[in-house]
Amino acid sequence: MYPSSSAKEQSSLSISNSGNQKIHVIHPGRHALSLFGIIIIVLLAGGQFAFLILLYHYQPLDFDELCPQSIVLNPINPLWRAIGEIIDTVAFKGRAVDWLAGAVRIPTEAYNDFQPIGIDPRWEPFGQFHEYLLEAFPLVHSTLSLTKINTYGLLYEWTGTDPSLKPVLLAAHQDVVPVDPSTISEWTFPPYSGHFDGMRIWGRGSIDDKSGLIGLLSAVETMVENGFVPKRTFVLAFGCDEETTGKFGAFQLRNSMLSIYGPNAFAFIVDEGGGFTEEFGTVFATPGVTEKGYMDLRVDVASPGGHSSVPPSHTTIGIISRLLVELENHPYPVEMKLLFIHPPEHPFCLLQNPAMLRLTRQNYSLRSTQRHIQSSHSREALRQLGDVVFTDPRNAALVGTTQAIDLIRGGVKSNALPEHAYAVVNHRISTLSSIQKVISHATNTLKPLADSFNLVLTSFGETISEDASGSSAGTLVLSDAFNSSLAPAPITPTYGVNAGPYRLLAGTIRATYNAHRGLDSESESGDSVSSNIIVAPGTTIANTDTRYYWDLSDGQIFRYNHWNSGAFEGGVLSKLHTVNEYMPIEMFLEMIRFYTTLIMNADEARSL
């Protein structure tokens, strides 16, 4: 449903930015409808899980700030500063190294062809991992209750003293991507050594996601050790197959939590996801408030076989090759879209940045974009911003729906015409799109070729073209390769009356960043220009265990690890799922501080 003409009535507001330039802002009239949508604004940053998105609501808005920030939220409990001082010690650093290195040494690899638990022996390292956790975190296991779900899913409850407060769910996963044996010689240190070189802990899972799981348990162990008793209940959910489908871990955990706590029982959920990095001289943190969707499109071609000495003009392999080229020649359009209206804060987070302003003076396209932002021609501004941003294909991939041909198979012998060939095309679906749009795009793109090759086309069970004459050359079938399609995730509120959890998380991020660097607390005004770190909502391009948790919290799901992408050469993504994965110890210590701060802030909050 789109707004009525009255909802489109707009008024304007002139605001000065840090460069003393007047910016003319268009915002909705006061009788605007409450309709939700998004505009995507990219940080011009490569190698991040998340990118900035500008969220739009048709509702009365406060435009006092162009780049609003939550206040720095330092916990009131004096234990927070005491534990912070402990984290700064050499002794604690040694414990942190031991905690994470010990976890990395256990190869909890997850495989796409996992058989059920109890049948497949490759699950056995997870039992060893559980024994390690019991030994490494004795206070966690003597204080929190633990329920094992489907043998290897872990569900901890840290029961609070006030049952009237909604619990908080904190998630991570135990499993890691398998190490390719052919790459072991390329590792600086063996992939399951947990080697500490004085600055970094090396090994598979040191980032994804044992740093999150062990960081969280390290925080809880330290808090219990220092006498912290929560008023609010905290639940820790650790899946065991996030890197595959999550069906043995997170899916079963979700069912158990629904049974124990009920639907929408949690005040908010935090799982793995984005982090922070420096762009244009300013540090930006981008907690994921949504996830892209997912679909593996299977393309099947079948035609009569025979001896290859008398071939047709096109074999099934030739046909499917042509079909795949056609898909690649018709990528999904990527553009900045002005769909709905909400505070245009995030472009101004960039434009108020002194380094960004210098860049706009040097770059004609950005200067032109800035001039358009200063006027009412917002669609033209977005188009020009897109012209600049999307010159980097990584940014286009962050914003739009992507397709990648990852699997192909056909033929059994060199002198036999292949009767069947298939390919799998992986899609990461934009938050502005849907599974049905992907199906329609693929169907419409391939139908003309299906007709030209005289193939009967069936798309996801629907017959698109029939063999009326009985003389077709074969069939083309489009389907979901693994029945694993996932719609884009709902978007967590970041503005208005339902954005309390987001403001708490943003304030926690700012407090953690400052405390870990010994920076002075910023003013309570939340002034973004003077902030040491700017927090803005992002989207997660990969899928996490939260795909199963949508009905556990009333739309309050965040994906954030508080890791510093800039600490990795090439960005954090360059170290995930590949050789030489490592975790800088200083970053791991900051993650422990983040979880400590988050738990204490959530425990003190009463409006969640």
Side-chain angles (χ1 to χ4, degrees):
M1 177 179 179
Y2 286 89
S4 64
S5 58
S6 62
K8 294 181 180 178
E9 294 176 359
Q10 298 175 324
S11 57
S12 64
L13 177 67
S14 293
I15 303 176
S16 296
N17 68 2
S18 59
N20 295 320
Q21 296 171 307
K22 289 290 183 180
I23 298 175
H24 190 68
V25 182
I26 299 298
H27 67 88
R30 291 200 168 272
H31 301 291
L33 297 178
S34 180
L35 187 62
F36 190 84
I38 64 174
I39 279 184
I40 304 170
I41 302 295
V42 183
L43 259 180
L44 303 178
Q48 290 198 97
F49 270 107
F51 61 94
L52 293 183
I53 58 176
L54 181 54
L55 304 176
Y56 281 83
H57 296 271
Y58 276 109
Q59 61 183 22
L61 301 168
D62 181 3
F63 278 78
D64 290 339
E65 294 179 340
L66 287 177
C67 185
Q69 293 293 292
S70 298
I71 63 171
V72 176
L73 197 58
N74 295 328
I76 298 172
N77 193 324
L79 270 180
W80 178 67
R81 296 193 182 278
I83 292 176
E85 292 174 358
I86 291 171
I87 291 174
D88 289 334
T89 64
V90 174
F92 188 86
K93 177 180 177 179
R95 294 180 72 188
V97 169
D98 291 341
W99 278 329
L100 182 55
V104 168
R105 294 186 186 111
I106 303 172
T108 50
E109 296 182 335
Y111 299 90
N112 287 330
D113 61 347
F114 254 154
Q115 298 302 302
I117 294 171
I119 296 176
D120 195 328
R122 292 176 295 178
W123 285 105
E124 292 176 2
F126 288 88
Q128 301 168 21
F129 187 65
H130 294 180
E131 293 174 2
Y132 169 74
L133 295 181
L134 180 62
E135 177 183 355
F137 301 104
L139 295 180
V140 168
H141 289 85
S142 64
T143 305
L144 282 65
S145 65
L146 170 61
T147 304
K148 294 191 176 183
I149 307 300
N150 196 24
T151 306
Y152 294 127
L154 298 178
L155 188 64
Y156 293 88
E157 180 181 297
W158 196 3
T159 307
T161 59
D162 187 347
S164 69
L165 300 175
K166 295 185 74 172
V168 167
L169 174 59
L170 304 175
H173 62 88
Q174 309 165 58
D175 57 302
V176 301
V177 170
V179 174
D180 183 346
S182 68
T183 67
I184 290 179
S185 62
E186 300 175 33
W187 285 74
T188 302
F189 301 100
Y192 291 111
S193 64
H195 178 80
F196 179 57
D197 65 3
M199 296 180 63
R200 296 170 291 267
I201 300 160
W202 294 76
R204 172 66 85 239
S206 56
I207 302 174
D208 185 16
D209 179 37
K210 286 182 177 175
S211 62
L213 188 153
I214 299 300
L216 179 53
L217 289 179
S218 300
V220 174
E221 180 82 5
T222 306
M223 294 170 77
V224 173
E225 192 173 62
N226 285 274
F228 180 77
V229 178
K231 297 181 177 64
R232 186 184 301 273
T233 292
F234 291 87
V235 176
L236 317 182
F238 301 148
C240 53
D241 60 340
E242 188 274 345
E243 298 292 0
T244 56
T245 63
K247 66 179 181 180
F248 294 109
F251 176 69
Q252 302 295 336
L253 284 163
R254 172 259 185 192
N255 291 340
S256 295
M257 286 187 282
L258 273 180
S259 176
I260 296 170
Y261 302 103
N264 298 323
F266 293 97
F268 64 86
I269 301 170
V270 178
D271 196 2
E272 63 171 335
F276 61 91
T277 192
E278 182 176 320
E279 296 296 334
F280 303 109
T282 296
V283 178
F284 290 90
T286 49
V289 298
T290 185
E291 288 181 356
K292 295 183 79 171
Y294 184 98
M295 188 176 77
D296 287 314
L297 172 70
R298 179 166 172 142
V299 182
D300 279 278
V301 175
S303 65
H307 198 281
S308 60
S309 62
V310 189
S313 299
H314 304 283
T315 68
T316 56
I317 292 177
I319 292 171
I320 200 169
S321 298
R322 180 67 182 85
L323 294 171
L324 296 177
V325 169
E326 190 73 2
L327 286 176
E328 287 195 335
N329 286 341
H330 291 81
Y332 291 80
V334 182
E335 59 182 327
M336 296 293 188
K337 291 186 176 181
L338 180 56
L339 297 182
F340 311 111
I341 303 227
H342 178 78
E345 63 243 32
H346 299 138
F348 296 104
C349 290
L350 291 175
L351 290 174
Q352 291 184 96
N353 182 315
M356 185 64 176
L357 288 172
R358 286 194 297 273
L359 180 64
T360 62
R361 287 194 290 270
Q362 298 167 5
N363 185 296
Y364 173 80
S365 296
L366 286 178
R367 289 202 309 272
S368 179
T369 297
Q370 190 177 26
R371 284 198 301 272
H372 279 289
I373 289 177
Q374 293 167 350
S375 74
S376 61
H377 303 296
S378 52
R379 285 180 177 82
E380 178 63 15
L382 289 169
R383 185 192 66 76
Q384 293 195 21
L385 181 61
D387 289 345
V388 176
V389 168
F390 298 143
T391 56
D392 187 336
R394 294 172 298 180
N395 291 334
L398 289 171
V399 173
T401 296
T402 60
Q403 56 182 7
I405 303 165
D406 292 332
L407 297 174
I408 188 167
R409 180 172 294 179
V412 294
K413 201 171 186 297
S414 63
N415 64 349
L417 297 175
E419 297 168 324
H420 177 242
Y422 77 88
V424 175
V425 186
N426 177 258
H427 290 77
R428 302 302 173 119
I429 305 172
S430 167
T431 55
L432 292 173
S433 188
S434 66
I435 292 173
Q436 186 56 51
K437 288 182 179 179
V438 170
I439 293 172
S440 297
H441 178 87
T443 303
N444 295 335
T445 299
L446 297 182
K447 185 180 184 303
L449 276 180
D451 292 341
S452 70
F453 286 120
N454 195 23
L455 300 176
V456 175
L457 172 59
T458 302
S459 178
F460 288 79
E462 179 183 357
T463 301
I464 305 300
S465 59
E466 298 183 355
D467 184 15
S469 64
S471 60
S472 73
T475 61
L476 168 60
V477 178
L478 307 181
S479 63
D480 185 337
F482 308 111
N483 295 316
S484 58
S485 294
L486 180 69
I491 300 173
T492 301
T494 62
Y495 191 91
V497 296
N498 294 321
Y502 174 77
R503 288 190 288 268
L504 183 143
L505 177 62
T508 295
I509 292 169
R510 298 181 73 190
T512 303
Y513 184 88
N514 287 347
H516 198 71
R517 289 157 183 80
L519 301 174
D520 291 336
S521 293
E522 298 147 323
S523 68
E524 293 295 301
S525 66
D527 176 14
S528 65
V529 176
S530 63
S531 295
N532 297 317
I533 183 170
I534 291 176
V535 183
T539 195
T540 305
I541 60 175
N543 298 117
T544 66
D545 277 340
T546 61
R547 75 187 82 173
Y548 297 110
Y549 297 164
W550 294 358
D551 54 359
L552 293 177
S553 180
D554 190 15
Q556 302 289 349
I557 302 178
F558 304 98
R559 301 140 187 100
Y560 187 76
N561 276 101
H562 200 75
W563 54 33
N564 180 1
S565 180
F568 300 94
E569 184 177 353
V572 67
L573 288 185
S574 68
K575 301 302 179 186
L576 294 178
H577 300 185
T578 188
V579 300
N580 287 331
E581 182 178 350
Y582 63 79
M583 169 57 62
I585 183 58
E586 197 59 38
M587 186 187 307
F588 182 56
L589 291 170
E590 187 168 357
M591 292 175 69
I592 296 173
R593 191 189 301 270
F594 166 74
Y595 288 120
T596 303
T597 308
L598 178 64
I599 290 171
M600 287 192 176
N601 276 334
D603 195 59
E604 293 173 4
R606 293 297 176 266
S607 59
L608 298 178

